[in-house]
Amino acid sequence: MKSEFKKDDCVTLHIEDIGTGGEGIGKADGFTFFVKDAIVGDVIEAKIMKLKKNYGYARLMKVLTPSKDRVEPKCPVARQCGGCQIQEMRYEAQLAFKQKMVQNNLERIGGLSDFEMYPVIGMETPYAYRNKAQFPVGEDKDGNIVIGFYAGRTHHIVEQTDCCIGAPENGEVLRKVKAYMQKNQIRPYNEEHHSGIVRHILIRTGYHTKEIMVCLIVNAAKASCLKNAEQLTESLREMDGMTSVMVNFNTEKTNVILGKKSEVLWGQPYIEDFIGDVKYQISPQSFFQVNPMQTEKLYAKALEYAGLTGNETVWDLYCGIGTISLFLAKNARKVYGVEIVPQAIDDARNNAKINEIENAEFFVGKAEEVLPQYYENYAKEHGGETAHADVIVVDPPRKGCEESLLQTMVDMKPERIVYVSCDSATLARDVKFLRGNGYELQRVRAVDQFPHTVHTESIVLLSKFKSN
């Protein structure tokens, strides 16, 4: 359909759906527009910002008739900040949206029509849940230090030190760091000129332990760039729970936040926290789920779906620092974890050691290379006998699993496959492959790991098809 509209035209839209990025979707004369900060049920006035052949983007100018699900965002900069996309939506409506998104993807992409989807697992209080935050540091046009979050799809910093989905302690940490920088004339990083010192401030908190780590990411190779660093450490140590003050070195001209090397300014190089009764040591680079309350619910479901009796051999693919592996190991005979990041595997082995778990073994490498190679070598070493797993747990990145990996999983004939996913579209694609190769979908459940954003985790159980 050719648009008769022009840039800067104003249109009235009735918002009927939400896109994958959280934008409201409405039509004017049959032409589709995506509008940030609009939600289903809103009638709005919007200004056209960009036109494509079959759709356009518009900016919300005025809510003419608010949706029954529209609420006042708790955060005063919710519209400017790129962190939360749907904070203006009532939480119950957010959960319904996420449930529908997962179900629609399984139906449309996965080709499923007759399956039971269990209710989404939400939070009782969907605020102050993040145990990790990375705050960019910059300066305004007057040269004042600005700390906050990037506005959506930009590197413009929206000043905000008291994020309502972050740990309550974050604001105090940031104010102390800012005061230290001002007193010692330490300049923030300037992306355009690749100058200045402090690029980001990383804060990690232990949900159960209440331990706090502060890590300054600097555009330098040595900690001496932080003049009078003892002033910073002394100030931070006044806070209850402060356990680790570190500096991370990143001199690259890159959007990647953390460099490869870190150094302790005070305390220890990690904090500790628990998932269930398993203790984990968490360093600046560690991957650790950011919502500990929901993670415990998610992993409890993984354990339930795995159906372990203590006699099973389990493979945990994309295992990170061993969070799921160790959670399962206490109920399995043997767990093998695979992860491409060497530092993560070091952490996984260390976490197994501190928990006195001896039945978990970890491999460094791509899951799509390690598992097929293991399968091939096993046959060679055992006279053609094929490798077998009782349960395979997979928690891949957003792109999902490569087909070669899925085929090896099928070849190993596990009784159950537990698939944890952060992208229900690629989950649906991979479920379609597994269903076409001898597995049936038993259970589906979404877990709201990221309230006020469009992201959600899903977990499914597939069982080997039993022929009559």
Side-chain angles (χ1 to χ4, degrees):
M1 174 185 290
K2 187 177 186 303
S3 169
E4 300 299 327
F5 298 105
K6 302 186 300 297
K7 186 176 182 294
D8 295 331
D9 281 353
C10 282
V11 291
T12 299
L13 302 171
H14 178 235
I15 304 302
E16 299 173 345
D17 204 352
I18 297 180
T20 55
E23 312 94 340
I25 302 174
K27 291 184 178 179
D29 296 334
F31 192 80
T32 300
F33 287 96
F34 293 85
V35 187
K36 181 181 174 292
D37 304 310
I39 67 171
V40 173
D42 279 344
V43 179
I44 65 168
E45 182 182 295
K47 182 179 180 181
I48 298 172
M49 306 307 294
K50 187 185 291 186
L51 287 166
K52 300 285 187 178
K53 184 177 179 181
N54 297 313
Y55 60 93
Y57 295 94
R59 176 186 293 161
L60 174 63
M61 304 303 289
K62 187 188 297 183
V63 178
L64 302 174
T65 307
S67 165
K68 64 178 175 54
D69 293 320
R70 176 171 282 278
V71 295
E72 187 66 29
K74 189 171 181 178
C75 174
V77 295
R79 278 195 68 176
Q80 299 99 299
C81 177
C84 295
Q85 301 91 36
I86 53 174
Q87 202 181 120
E88 65 280 346
M89 186 187 293
R90 189 169 56 90
Y91 185 57
E92 292 75 14
Q94 292 183 29
L95 295 178
F97 157 69
K98 294 181 181 188
Q99 176 101 352
K100 181 182 175 185
M101 177 176 64
V102 175
Q103 185 163 344
N104 285 351
N105 281 333
L106 286 168
E107 290 173 349
R108 184 173 53 86
I109 301 169
L112 289 151
S113 57
D114 184 22
F115 66 98
E116 182 179 2
M117 182 156 178
Y118 290 76
V120 60
I121 300 174
M123 295 190 72
E124 203 171 304
T125 306
Y127 295 100
Y129 63 81
R130 286 190 64 98
N131 59 10
K132 175 187 175 185
Q134 298 171 134
F135 296 87
V137 185
E139 57 186 15
D140 62 19
K141 62 182 188 303
D142 298 319
N144 299 312
I145 296 171
V146 178
I147 302 173
F149 295 101
Y150 291 131
R153 301 184 193 83
T154 76
H155 272 209
H156 167 71
I157 299 173
V158 177
E159 189 158 22
Q160 172 61 297
T161 55
D162 293 293
C163 172
C164 65
I165 65 170
E169 302 85 2
N170 290 350
E172 185 178 354
V173 168
L174 297 175
R175 286 185 279 276
K176 285 176 178 289
V177 174
K178 186 175 183 178
Y180 157 75
M181 290 176 64
Q182 290 170 330
K183 183 175 181 180
N184 290 278
Q185 298 183 321
I186 295 172
R187 300 310 309 160
Y189 180 63
N190 182 298
E191 279 189 338
E192 186 181 347
H193 300 108
H194 194 49
S195 61
I197 299 297
V198 181
R199 301 173 69 129
H200 281 78
I201 302 163
L202 166 67
I203 308 172
R204 307 195 81 142
T205 52
Y207 174 67
H208 291 287
T209 62
K210 308 304 179 189
E211 295 181 355
I212 304 172
M213 168 186 286
V214 179
C215 181
L216 272 61
I217 295 94
V218 298
N219 178 40
K222 293 184 179 179
S224 56
C225 69
L226 297 173
K227 294 179 291 185
N228 302 316
E230 68 280 356
Q231 292 179 11
L232 175 64
T233 57
E234 286 173 11
S235 176
L236 291 172
R237 284 164 60 186
E238 294 171 357
M239 295 181 63
D240 291 341
M242 190 59 62
T243 304
S244 174
V245 182
M246 300 188 68
V247 58
N248 175 268
F249 308 102
N250 185 357
T251 57
E252 301 293 320
K253 202 165 186 179
T254 174
N255 289 336
V256 176
I257 292 175
L258 284 164
K260 293 176 181 174
K261 184 185 170 192
S262 298
E263 186 177 308
V264 176
L265 293 177
W266 173 85
Q268 57 194 36
Y270 58 83
I271 60 171
E272 294 182 331
D273 206 7
F274 290 83
I275 299 175
D277 60 354
V278 181
K279 182 193 290 185
Y280 299 89
Q281 289 184 349
I282 307 159
S283 66
Q285 287 95 340
S286 293
F287 173 79
F288 195 73
Q289 291 276 11
V290 299
N291 187 333
M293 292 165 276
Q294 294 298 91
T295 297
E296 291 191 352
K297 297 173 187 175
L298 178 69
Y299 287 6
K301 282 294 158 196
L303 184 59
E304 176 191 325
Y305 287 6
L308 302 178
T309 64
N311 299 313
E312 292 82 7
T313 297
V314 180
W315 280 82
D316 177 19
L317 309 177
Y318 309 96
C319 70
I321 65 170
T323 46
I324 293 181
S325 304
L326 303 182
F327 202 70
L328 299 175
K330 293 189 176 184
N331 296 274
R333 183 180 65 81
K334 182 79 175 183
V335 176
Y336 298 99
V338 182
E339 170 59 52
I340 191 173
V341 181
Q343 173 69 47
I345 289 296
D346 289 343
D347 287 346
R349 289 169 178 155
N350 183 56
N351 287 327
K353 185 177 179 181
I354 65 176
N355 286 280
E356 299 181 346
I357 293 173
E358 297 179 348
N359 61 330
E361 188 175 341
F362 296 96
F363 301 94
V364 178
K366 294 182 179 180
E368 52 268 27
E369 293 175 0
V370 170
L371 196 68
Q373 192 63 57
Y374 170 86
Y375 184 79
E376 187 180 315
N377 290 344
Y378 190 94
K380 290 176 182 175
E381 294 166 7
H382 294 80
E385 181 186 344
T386 56
H388 172 70
D390 298 297
V391 178
I392 293 179
V393 178
V394 59
D395 185 3
R398 300 192 72 80
K399 66 179 181 177
C401 299
E402 290 187 12
E403 195 167 293
S404 60
L405 175 62
L406 294 172
Q407 185 58 58
T408 305
M409 288 164 58
V410 168
D411 291 343
M412 291 178 74
K413 296 181 171 62
E415 290 297 318
R416 292 171 296 285
I417 296 173
V418 180
Y419 194 133
V420 179
S421 170
C422 60
D423 187 325
S424 56
T426 53
L427 166 70
R429 179 201 67 201
D430 293 349
V431 165
K432 185 175 183 178
F433 178 92
L434 294 168
R435 287 181 69 239
N437 287 272
Y439 286 82
E440 53 185 339
L441 186 66
Q442 297 286 336
R443 298 179 198 171
V444 182
R445 195 142 201 190
V447 180
D448 188 23
Q449 292 279 95
F450 315 104
H452 309 297
T453 79
V454 292
H455 305 296
T456 190
E457 294 275 322
S458 306
I459 181 167
V460 305
L461 169 63
L462 297 112
S463 296
K464 194 159 63 172
F465 184 76
K466 301 289 193 299
S467 56
N468 292 328

